[in-house]
Amino acid sequence: MPLAPYAMDVSRSRGRRHPEAQHPYRNDYARDRDRIIHARAFRRLEAKTQVFTTRYSDHFRNRLTHTLEVAQIARTVAGALGLNTDLAEALALAHDIGHPPFGHAGERRLDELMREHGDRFDHNLHALRIVEQFEQRYLDFLGLNLTFEVREGIIKHSRDYSPTEAPELAEYLLELRPPLEAQLIDRVDEIAYNTADLDDGLEARLLDLETLLDGVPVFAEMYAEVDRRYPGGRAKLKFNEALKRVLDRLATDLIETSRERVRASGAATVEEIRRVPERLATFSPQAAQWNAELKSFLYARLYDNPVIVEDRERSVEALSHLFRLYLEHPENMPKYYLEQAQRGPRHRVVCDYIAGMTDHFLLRLHRELLGAAARPAD
Ligand code: MG
């Protein structure tokens, strides 16, 4: 399918920081996608929590399998809209690489710890630091030397930043929206985790079918359809089929609503899409309501379930203890970070080190360094 006129055409990219020769078989966005897959931070997603910490069970989603689900839906949505699928895929694969251990709870805690030093932690900004500085794979430059649009999308896929809030991001056209390929990532992310978390929650027996049918109208509607068609089918397979239909319905809505909004905006090029004040890749009010219902159900029944909360709290406590320990005793960090801590703000270096850890690694260090010893004062 040819690119739509409002798609991001790779030949119009603002390019890389360090110019490189073209590859004979892969365009620049396809190369960026591949660089992300080969990054260490990408591999570490395997041992980072989505909802269930990895000590809970092995076959639930982790951040890597979640990322693959996002990439797969993003490709479909981008393709259906005539957008650049290589760019959308690169952005989907990168969308969570800045996540610290222990999901959103870990992110919140790290941010609170940083605010004690007048600083903050933000996973999008951290992801940019990863691809710009921390990944060291090339002889010619630090980082992955990604194209402008991939770096911009890493920053802006889920929100806009004002120039006063983030002066260091001035080069990323903060007064403009990102291309549609970046705009759709956050919506696709939402489709992926809302449906996957129901699946894992049921599998973990923290949710049951009856509660789900009562609490999530769009699921109940899909389940009734499936039940009419397969009255004698196995309950678990009927659940799967209904969930698949919910996912399909949300993705279809995103495609159709975005297409219609782009048409209504009159924007005919990427530069015009950028200048529309609101994001055009979005759900209809109906699908936005389904998503809101899914989300509030998941909070009430899963994310705030005592089993999950207890596991999560123990984990983020370990994160706090380690943060304070490194702050007082940076000599416990590897040589690279210790040297950085002697040159720059120590809390920032400690934060970077901890943010890069997997769940397992953090818990292991916590055991090794603080297991028997007295914990630093909270
Ligand atoms: Mg995500």
Side-chain angles (χ1 to χ4, degrees), residues 66 95-96 189:
H66 159 72
H95 90 281
D96 268 353
D189 188 23

Side-chain angles (χ1 to χ4, degrees), residues 101-231:
F102 313 128
H104 288 286
E107 181 177 20
R108 251 191 326 270
R109 180 60 61 90
L110 212 43
D111 187 48
E112 286 162 16
L113 290 162
M114 289 297 275
R115 283 177 194 273
E116 293 174 15
H117 301 271
D119 212 327
R120 66 173 165 163
F121 178 78
D122 172 303
H123 79 268
N124 293 336
L125 301 182
H126 189 67
L128 188 67
R129 290 155 65 75
I130 290 174
V131 302
E132 288 267 83
Q133 297 171 39
F134 301 152
E135 289 288 331
Q136 297 180 18
R137 305 179 52 82
Y138 300 93
L139 292 160
D140 288 331
F141 41 76
L142 261 188
L144 304 179
N145 197 30
L146 302 175
T147 54
F148 176 88
E149 291 74 26
V150 172
R151 284 179 282 130
E152 180 200 20
I154 285 175
I155 293 295
K156 299 204 280 197
H157 72 87
S158 54
R159 51 170 291 210
D160 294 311
Y161 290 83
S162 73
T164 45
E165 177 194 7
E168 74 273 26
L169 300 180
E171 68 181 294
Y172 292 106
L173 314 171
L174 295 183
E175 68 293 355
L176 300 177
R177 306 293 81 66
L180 291 165
E181 287 83 351
Q183 294 189 25
L184 64 86
I185 299 297
D186 206 40
R187 304 279 80 88
V188 169
D189 188 23
E190 204 174 352
I191 296 175
Y193 64 67
N194 277 339
T195 51
D197 291 349
L198 287 185
D199 192 21
D200 288 346
L202 202 88
E203 189 73 24
R205 298 180 198 286
L206 294 173
L207 303 175
D208 63 63
L209 187 59
E210 288 312 310
T211 339
L212 189 51
L213 291 171
D214 282 347
V216 184
V218 65
F219 179 83
E221 191 187 327
M222 296 296 106
Y223 192 86
E225 267 181 31
V226 174
D227 205 27
R228 272 196 299 278
R229 171 94 172 72
Y230 300 96

